[in-house]
Amino acid sequence: MQSIQLQNDSLVEIATFLVRRWSEEDKMIVEISDKVETKTRLKENKVILTPLEKRIGNDFQKYRQFRTSLWYEAMRVKYCKKILSNDHAFGFILNTMETQRVEQLGRKIWRGMDNEIIFNYAYMLVSRPQLHTVYGKARIVEAFYQYFMFGAIKGEIQSSHFERIKKAGALGKKIVDKAVEEKQDTEWLEKQVSEIVKILDIDSLLTIPVSLPFMKAGMAMTKEELRRILKIVSKNKEGDFGTVDTDAVLRGDNVYDEYKVLLDENKKTENKGLTPEPIGIQTPTTKNVDETTIYDLSLINGLKTKFKEWKSGWKEQHLRSGDEFDEENYIEGHEPFFTDVKRSIKTKIVILLDHSSSIASDSLEYKKATLALCEVLSFLKVKFAVYAFSTQNRAVVCWSIKPDNIKWNSVSAKRLAQVVANGSTPLAEVYDKMFPVLQAKRPDIFLTLTDGEPSDPDAVRNMTKSLRGLGINMVALGLGPNTLRATTIANNLRHLGYEKTMAVSRLNDIPSKVMSILEG
């Protein structure tokens, strides 16, 4: 099996897509953290996953576990009303029973998950601690978990305790089956937990220690060891899953196709990503970034509707003469003929976003507007690149948000979300850093969005002249808190050699202004 380290950016992107598809909740976000175990925070619309490197097995086996644990969390999002902490026995037992309930409900929709669930069970069983390593009454709770989930326990336990565990396990299964059959929810299931607690003879507030894995992360079982454990799990799960083809489970053919695509995309990112960018251009980190805060879906959808005719390249327009007569328009006193007019879109544009300190107070709305613009450009299949600049550690940095050879996606959005507005407006220095890119790519339009005056106007004028000499159409969009200020900024920019300058006082107007530039 290939041993290629998948980047967290790639994993987060596909995990976000999958969790939203499985849960049917479009606002869900995914975070990868090595500080907490896999969990879902319903109020935050967030799933936190344990990284691949903390899982057992080879790269593909780790990915399969990662993917299946994500599926369970998606099912919790879809079917659970609450998720309690695992720190105490009551919450631990409720969550254990909920795992079985959401699994049954989820399997009715996602039948193709059966082999992956069985495969994941094998690794879950391997990862559980031996009972002799768990002390006090927490051992009884762990034994209940193992027996209820896998139909087997690891190690020995007092016979009197085991009888209670079997009785509690049987009742737990009966409760879950009833919940599924009668379409009961989390709140109903929660009321039944006290019966399990009573049978186990434990305190519902009993602290549950964090269980250490039986095997060290990264270790792989041999194929024979994995097959043996799969047979144990398959036999104990026959009542729920029927006869299991262990060879098919071992192969994981369907998921491997998806994994291969992920590997290929990962290679593309490594090869095409941002390492070839000239010195002075950096890539914002995307670790633990919530890009959903800069998504304004109503603005995005409104813009897509507004410009949807651009997707085909044609627009219906009413004229004094034309191809077809419109009676209603004639009666209403409007131009009576309509015809289809061809729209052309310049296919190559580079956008530079000013993130100096003056934009800081409006940074969120600014990012929402510029992200909406990027979504529409992507929707219309316009070839574009996006850069931003700000000051970091007293030095101006040009950030690559989206190169022109990579599609706009959630990773690009995360990069935009990560840029912090700070510093002055050293446009000439930024243009100098970008010059090699612009010289190589030769876009039709280089658009600068700025809300301030350049630090060195003469230097900007010289750089603008040099860039125009490459055949690039230099355009600037002045941003201001009101119409007067925006117009003043645009007028000042006009003296710096730009071929076209415009003014915007409302940030939500940015996308429409930019689209007007693209219309030929």
Side-chain angles (χ1 to χ4, degrees):
M1 193 63 65
Q2 300 180 52
S3 181
I4 298 176
Q5 290 296 316
L6 294 175
Q7 296 181 10
N8 276 356
D9 284 358
S10 303
L11 286 171
V12 166
E13 187 172 353
I14 194 168
T16 302
F17 167 77
L18 289 172
V19 80
R20 290 176 179 176
R21 182 184 178 212
W22 284 330
S23 68
E24 297 182 310
E25 289 290 341
D26 292 337
K27 293 183 179 179
M28 294 304 300
I29 60 172
V30 173
E31 181 180 307
I32 296 176
S33 173
D34 58 3
K35 296 179 181 178
V36 297
E37 294 300 311
T38 293
K39 64 172 65 177
T40 293
R41 294 175 178 165
L42 291 176
K43 290 182 180 179
E44 298 176 32
N45 292 320
K46 180 186 290 186
V47 173
I48 304 174
L49 293 168
T50 303
L52 263 63
E53 57 265 24
K54 290 191 70 174
R55 299 172 187 269
I56 301 168
N58 61 36
D59 289 346
F60 182 46
Q61 291 166 348
K62 290 176 185 178
Y63 178 69
R64 292 178 72 182
Q65 296 167 61
F66 176 90
R67 187 180 186 274
T68 307
S69 62
L70 177 68
W71 180 82
Y72 274 107
E73 297 311 306
M75 294 304 100
R76 292 185 197 280
V77 172
K78 188 174 179 65
Y79 296 114
C80 294
K81 285 193 172 181
K82 65 171 73 172
I83 300 172
L84 300 186
S85 168
N86 279 325
D87 293 343
H88 298 97
F90 188 93
F92 184 85
I93 292 170
L94 174 62
N95 293 339
T96 300
M97 294 170 69
E98 279 284 66
T99 299
Q100 290 291 292
R101 183 176 75 92
V102 301
E103 178 190 289
Q104 287 191 36
L105 293 170
R107 285 179 59 229
K108 291 180 180 180
I109 303 171
W110 305 101
R111 297 299 299 180
M113 285 299 300
D114 280 9
N115 281 356
E116 293 309 298
I117 292 170
I118 292 294
F119 178 84
N120 194 59
Y121 267 127
Y123 276 92
M124 286 172 66
L125 178 57
V126 168
S127 297
R128 299 311 297 184
Q130 292 283 343
L131 291 178
H132 72 270
T133 66
V134 184
Y135 300 99
K137 289 201 169 183
R139 180 183 300 174
I140 295 174
V141 179
E142 176 61 30
F144 166 77
Y145 176 87
Q146 293 182 12
Y147 187 80
F148 181 72
M149 292 292 291
F150 314 114
I153 59 174
K154 296 174 65 175
E156 297 181 356
I157 195 166
Q158 292 180 26
S159 58
S160 59
H161 291 172
F162 187 56
E163 289 305 313
R164 294 208 301 267
I165 288 162
K166 286 198 297 183
K167 185 176 179 182
L171 178 60
K173 189 176 187 312
K174 185 177 178 181
I175 290 170
V176 170
D177 289 344
K178 185 176 181 180
V180 173
E181 184 180 342
E182 297 182 0
K183 298 181 179 179
Q184 301 287 357
D185 60 16
T186 306
E187 292 175 349
W188 180 86
L189 202 66
E190 186 178 11
K191 294 175 183 177
Q192 318 306 314
V193 173
S194 57
E195 280 298 310
I196 304 294
V197 170
K198 185 177 179 182
I199 293 171
L200 293 175
D201 190 25
I202 58 172
D203 185 341
S204 61
L205 296 178
L206 173 71
T207 300
I208 304 299
V210 177
S211 300
L212 298 175
F214 171 66
M215 295 176 71
K216 291 183 179 179
M219 290 182 64
M221 289 184 283
T222 65
K223 197 170 184 178
E224 291 70 28
E225 288 173 329
L226 180 54
R227 190 187 297 276
R228 179 178 60 81
I229 295 170
L230 279 173
K231 285 182 178 178
I232 293 172
V233 171
S234 300
K235 183 178 180 182
N236 292 338
K237 290 289 180 179
E238 271 186 0
D240 297 321
F241 289 80
T243 304
V244 176
D245 183 347
T246 53
D247 288 330
V249 172
L250 275 170
R251 290 195 305 271
D253 293 338
N254 292 339
V255 177
Y256 186 69
D257 291 340
E258 177 185 300
Y259 177 71
K260 185 69 166 58
V261 170
L262 194 57
L263 288 179
D264 292 341
E265 287 298 315
N266 200 60
K267 287 180 186 176
K268 289 178 184 177
T269 303
E270 288 177 352
N271 296 334
K272 286 185 181 175
L274 304 170
T275 50
E277 296 281 19
I279 295 171
I281 296 181
Q282 298 183 30
T283 310
T285 177
T286 55
K287 187 176 181 181
N288 299 333
V289 178
D290 178 9
E291 80 281 12
T292 60
T293 58
I294 63 171
Y295 272 91
D296 185 334
L297 293 178
S298 61
L299 177 59
I300 293 168
N301 293 331
L303 288 167
K304 285 182 178 179
T305 301
K306 182 177 180 180
F307 297 105
K308 65 181 178 181
E309 75 272 6
W310 287 31
K311 200 165 179 66
S312 65
W314 295 91
K315 181 188 179 185
E316 187 179 280
Q317 187 171 336
H318 284 84
L319 303 167
R320 187 176 297 276
S321 61
D323 301 331
E324 297 184 52
F325 184 75
D326 187 331
E327 292 180 3
E328 291 185 8
N329 258 35
Y330 177 73
I331 293 170
E332 292 172 2
H334 302 304
E335 302 292 359
F337 292 91
F338 63 88
T339 187
D340 287 332
V341 178
K342 178 69 176 176
R343 285 188 182 276
S344 63
I345 303 175
K346 290 187 179 295
T347 56
K348 290 166 53 176
I349 179 171
V350 172
I351 300 169
L352 176 64
L353 307 172
D354 178 352
H355 275 75
S356 55
S357 56
S358 53
I359 201 71
S361 60
D362 297 311
S363 180
L364 181 61
E365 294 305 313
Y366 179 45
K367 288 178 179 178
K368 284 181 179 180
T370 50
L371 181 139
L373 167 63
C374 293
E375 287 284 334
V376 173
L377 292 175
S378 177
F379 172 69
L380 297 175
K381 295 184 169 25
V382 175
K383 192 170 185 178
F384 70 103
V386 183
Y387 294 83
F389 71 86
S390 65
T391 299
Q392 188 177 63
N393 299 324
R394 298 183 180 179
V396 63
V397 179
C398 183
W399 304 102
S400 181
I401 307 299
K402 178 204 168 297
D404 66 351
N405 57 357
I406 291 179
K407 291 181 179 179
W408 175 263
N409 53 33
S410 63
V411 174
S412 302
K414 285 177 182 291
R415 290 174 184 148
L416 177 59
Q418 185 71 353
V419 177
V420 177
N422 185 43
S424 58
T425 312
L427 272 183
E429 188 177 346
V430 176
Y431 286 173
D432 185 56
K433 291 177 183 293
M434 292 186 66
F435 192 86
V437 175
L438 297 165
Q439 187 176 37
K441 301 294 184 181
R442 304 289 177 105
D444 298 303
I445 297 171
F446 179 28
L447 170 65
T448 301
L449 276 67
T450 180
D451 72 333
E453 305 295 335
S455 306
D456 189 341
D458 289 335
V460 173
R461 192 175 293 108
N462 290 334
M463 287 302 305
T464 302
K465 183 178 179 181
S466 297
L467 290 167
R468 288 180 63 179
L470 298 174
I472 299 171
N473 187 8
M474 298 294 290
V475 181
L477 186 58
L479 314 175
N482 52 58
T483 303
L484 179 60
R485 177 60 182 154
T487 304
T488 301
I489 292 172
N491 286 335
N492 291 340
L493 289 169
R494 187 173 294 117
H495 299 297
L496 299 178
Y498 294 99
E499 291 164 275
K500 185 174 185 178
T501 60
M502 295 181 296
V504 168
S505 58
R506 294 185 304 178
L507 293 173
N508 277 5
D509 289 341
I510 289 174
S512 295
K513 283 283 188 181
V514 176
M515 296 306 293
S516 70
I517 298 169
L518 293 174
E519 187 175 14

